[in-house]
Amino acid sequence: QVQLVESGGGSVQPGGFLRLSCTASGTIPSMLTIAWYRQRPGKDRELVATITFGGSSNVEDSVKGRFTISRDSAKNTVYLEMNNLKPEDTARYYCNAPTWNRQYWGQGTQVTVSAWGQGTQVTVPA
């Protein structure tokens, strides 16, 4: 069993930066490849980047030049550094670990890129 926990999401303005972390725990296979996926509103889940145990990485063309994937094997953690974020990067980002018999997924972390703030509710009692 492998447990994956993502963190680091949040709300940023266009052009901003976030670093997502995916930490694996449990019975971790020695040759674990980790992938980052994202699911944008109304879209299917899509691959963003992958990294092998040996450190070989691939970043999809849609984010190449802005996103970087790396890993710290001693910490069982994979990072996704996202620079120059755009509104279209708004999505829930998921960590994935494919093994020989099943796929493991984390619960995801939300990334929102917007020039608008989240807003604040004002209620005036009658």
Side-chain angles (χ1 to χ4, degrees):
Q1 289 285 347
V2 178
Q3 291 81 45
L4 302 173
V5 178
E6 303 96 333
S7 61
S11 295
V12 296
Q13 294 190 335
F17 166 85
L18 283 174
R19 187 175 81 157
L20 307 183
S21 299
C22 170
T23 300
S25 61
T27 305
I28 302 171
S30 60
M31 306 291 286
L32 192 65
T33 291
I34 297 290
W36 281 100
Y37 284 77
R38 69 182 180 185
Q39 188 160 19
R40 295 184 278 184
K43 304 280 189 179
D44 293 333
R45 196 171 294 189
E46 61 180 345
L47 179 65
V48 176
T50 58
I51 189 164
T52 68
F53 177 81
S56 296
S57 63
N58 182 69
V59 177
E60 295 299 300
D61 288 344
S62 59
V63 298
K64 191 165 291 184
R66 299 190 297 118
F67 289 15
T68 303
I69 188 170
S70 62
R71 73 188 300 159
D72 184 336
S73 296
K75 296 181 179 179
N76 289 324
T77 299
V78 171
Y79 304 100
L80 184 68
E81 294 190 345
M82 306 184 295
N83 292 281
N84 190 22
L85 282 161
K86 303 177 180 181
E88 54 263 39
D89 295 318
T90 294
R92 192 161 186 86
Y93 286 72
Y94 296 89
C95 189
N96 166 265
T99 65
W100 70 274
N101 64 338
R102 64 169 287 181
Q103 301 266 350
Y104 292 94
W105 293 92
Q107 81 288 354
T109 185
Q110 179 66 34
V111 171
T112 301
V113 185
S114 175
W116 290 85
Q118 294 181 348
T120 184
Q121 178 66 38
V122 174
T123 301
V124 179

